[in-house]
Amino acid sequence: MRKIKPDGEFPQEFHDWLRANKVPKRERRNPEALQKHFQEWKKINAPRRRSLFAFPKLNLDLGTIVDQVRTVSELLQTLQQAGELIRPQKKHHDDMM
């Protein structure tokens, strides 16, 4: 949505809205009527702000989260140890001589 220009010209979206709502040309030429329609258009097209209270409340159980993190950590350690057993250790060049 464009801002109103300082000389009082209205945004093109507003003019399109007037035509779509079949506002008579006589009212479009009347500054008071035009201003009234513009206020109505602004209310309809104003960006809506979301309230923090509108978001759903999250029901988090920190004990469950900590247990899950611990389980994942143990699983990763087990996989790392299994990978070390499967892959043969590369011998250093000094050990070969």
Side-chain angles (χ1 to χ4, degrees):
M1 186 173 359
R2 285 187 260 157
K3 301 268 185 196
I4 301 172
K5 295 183 181 176
D7 61 358
E9 185 180 324
F10 296 104
Q12 184 60 42
E13 292 91 348
F14 173 62
H15 292 291
D16 295 341
W17 180 82
L18 288 172
R19 279 187 226 108
N21 286 308
K22 299 179 182 174
V23 175
K25 287 187 180 185
R26 185 181 319 145
E27 284 189 42
R28 290 188 219 172
R29 291 186 197 116
N30 180 351
E32 292 174 6
L34 194 60
Q35 190 62 36
K36 185 181 108 186
H37 286 294
F38 182 68
Q39 294 303 321
E40 181 183 346
W41 177 79
K42 274 185 16 180
K43 285 180 188 175
I44 294 170
N45 292 299
R48 293 181 176 28
R49 293 184 185 177
R50 289 188 108 181
S51 170
L52 290 177
F53 302 111
F55 290 111
K57 292 183 178 181
L58 298 176
N59 191 6
L60 299 176
D61 180 13
L62 293 179
T64 304
I65 293 172
V66 169
D67 289 342
Q68 295 297 327
V69 168
R70 188 175 298 125
T71 302
V72 169
S73 175
E74 291 171 0
L75 178 63
L76 289 175
Q77 286 177 351
T78 303
L79 288 173
Q80 185 179 15
Q81 291 170 355
E84 289 173 359
L85 291 175
I86 293 172
R87 279 184 259 121
Q89 299 257 338
K90 292 184 180 179
K91 295 183 179 180
H92 293 291
H93 185 65
D94 295 340
D95 294 341
M96 297 175 116
M97 293 186 163

